[in-house]
Amino acid sequence: MPPQLIAPTVAVHASFLAAMAEFRADGTEHVPHSGLARELRTWADRWPTAEGFAAYVGTVGDAAPEERADGVVPVTTRWWVADGVYLGRVTFRHRLTDELLHYGGHIGYAVRPGARRRGHATAMLRAALPVAHHELGIDPVLVTCDDTNTGSRKVIESCGGIFEDQRDEKLRFWIHAPANAAGR
């Protein structure tokens, strides 16, 4: 079965743990402005148990329909999974704060280090755009990447990203819903 975006599930527990070990070894937990880094710091000690992982899945699996009291915007998470193996994730931020406008954008994505350079990031972002545009009503979508991340820039551009500007170390791209997709 080809990879697909799915709601977070406890069914991929073992491969998720392996992926998180890869991200930790890659230094991801120290990346500023990263939701995945924050989750690595917050949840890593609870993920190994079935109960802790189920609690995490319950937290990220539920779309937050409203802004929280602490100012965190509504978020929807989908995991990129093939044949029951966790390969990465996409996070959809339903609206932008000033910080997200500069650093994070509407969509964040991460492919586990052991699955990189196989086209997953491009396929994952392509699969994510209809979710953002049609299910969540986000149009246009802002996607950002570090100015040193040539691979991510190519992914964003190949998915229709139009470069707007650079703010600090972040390149900012907008992706509009295709005009012919309005009737879907």
Side-chain angles (χ1 to χ4, degrees), residues 5-184:
L5 285 178
I6 66 167
T9 175
V10 296
V12 298
H13 190 190
S15 63
F16 178 90
L17 289 176
M20 294 307 114
E22 291 173 17
F23 281 121
R24 287 188 102 164
D26 199 36
T28 299
E29 70 185 304
H30 305 293
V31 174
H33 309 289
S34 167
L36 180 56
R38 188 172 37 259
E39 289 176 15
L40 282 163
R41 292 187 303 267
T42 305
W43 285 93
D45 62 335
R46 292 181 263 174
W47 284 329
T49 69
E51 298 80 18
F53 188 64
Y56 169 73
V57 167
T59 300
V60 297
D62 295 331
E66 298 174 6
E67 186 168 337
R68 296 183 347 199
D70 60 3
V72 174
V73 301
V75 172
T76 298
T77 300
R78 295 289 178 265
W79 289 352
W80 189 242
V81 174
D83 296 321
V85 176
Y86 177 95
L87 299 170
R89 74 184 214 163
V90 178
T91 303
F92 303 88
R93 300 169 198 101
H94 296 208
R95 69 169 193 79
L96 300 176
T97 62
D98 286 340
E99 182 177 354
L100 290 173
L101 184 63
H102 294 286
Y103 294 104
H106 289 104
I107 293 178
Y109 57 90
V111 175
R112 69 187 288 178
R116 291 180 183 159
R117 292 178 175 64
R118 298 182 196 165
H120 289 299
T122 301
M124 196 166 44
L125 183 55
R126 279 198 182 120
L129 290 170
V131 174
H133 291 140
H134 305 299
E135 291 180 32
L136 302 175
I138 305 168
D139 185 33
V141 171
L142 175 64
V143 185
T144 69
C145 67
D146 289 342
D147 58 0
T148 57
N149 193 337
T150 304
S152 193
R153 181 181 186 149
K154 288 179 180 179
V155 165
I156 296 166
E157 290 174 338
S158 73
C159 291
I162 306 298
F163 178 74
E164 179 178 51
D165 62 15
Q166 180 170 347
R167 298 186 185 178
D168 297 321
E169 75 280 359
K170 291 294 181 178
L171 303 177
R172 299 171 65 251
F173 299 84
W174 292 94
I175 305 174
H176 293 268
N180 62 355
R184 284 188 201 173

